[in-house]
Amino acid sequence: MAVDSTRTVSAGRSQQCGNSLQQTLKLTRLVHKESVDLIKTYRASQGELSEVFCKVSINNVPDPNISGLEPSERIVSIYTHIQAFLPHLKRVYDQQTDLQLPTSPLLTQLYSVSTRSRSLAALVNSFYQSVFPNLPVPEPAGGPTTLPPPQNVFQQKVYGCVVLKTYKELLSNVSRELRTLKNKVCRRRIQMNTFFF
């Protein structure tokens, strides 16, 4: 009898873990889809040379690659990477506010992606804390990413495109990572719970 109730509890926890991860993955996919549309709108709204803007490489944009060996480290990496992009997305929004008409669809899309990205960071954080309640969420390594110094219009357009392209790449990596983590993290909890009881 005791074993049965334990299994129910651990299965419930695993299901909760799966649901939480599924919700995070769903939002990641949505933001990724929006970021693809956003890049198209961005290019269309930058006037001539928009193709050139997106081919230039610059340094001070966060890295889109997830790092860490353990599942806990990889979830933290996802969280800190999304967090690192938030000030960059805000900077792009602020710059484009000066360059676009207030009615520009680009501003609406930028605002939407930024808002959803903050929600995504919060979801990843709460998922991490539910799966690893005893591990604190570390601060981003190396502190917050530095934003570029004041830029001329050409540099702003380049920076915006690079930020959006790199962020889209990050979301693609996050999506792949969350699918992999589902089996590692949620299933492992069942085994651990059963083992402890």
Side-chain angles (χ1 to χ4, degrees), residues 56-127:
V56 179
S57 64
I58 56 174
N59 297 331
N60 44 4
V61 171
D63 174 38
N65 298 309
I66 311 299
S67 58
L69 299 173
E70 294 297 318
S72 60
E73 292 168 351
R74 295 187 80 78
I75 297 170
V76 165
S77 178
I78 290 171
Y79 173 70
T80 52
H81 275 69
I82 295 169
Q83 286 282 77
F85 267 97
L86 294 177
H88 289 274
L89 292 170
K90 184 182 184 310
R91 169 66 78 90
V92 174
Y93 179 82
D94 292 344
Q95 289 176 342
Q96 291 299 317
T97 303
D98 294 337
L99 298 172
Q100 305 294 330
L101 292 169
T103 53
S104 166
L106 174 62
L107 298 178
T108 312
Q109 286 179 283
L110 269 167
Y111 182 78
S112 173
V113 166
S114 294
T115 307
R116 287 197 210 276
S117 297
R118 274 193 292 278
S119 303
L120 181 58
L123 267 183
V124 173
N125 189 0
S126 72
F127 171 67

Side-chain angles (χ1 to χ4, degrees), residues 42 46 53 95-96 98-100 150-160:
Y42 185 88
Q46 300 308 306
F53 300 140
Q95 289 176 342
Q96 291 299 317
D98 294 337
L99 298 172
Q100 305 294 330
Q151 299 164 306
N152 63 34
V153 172
F154 178 78
Q155 289 168 326
Q156 288 180 19
K157 290 183 174 190
V158 167
Y159 169 72

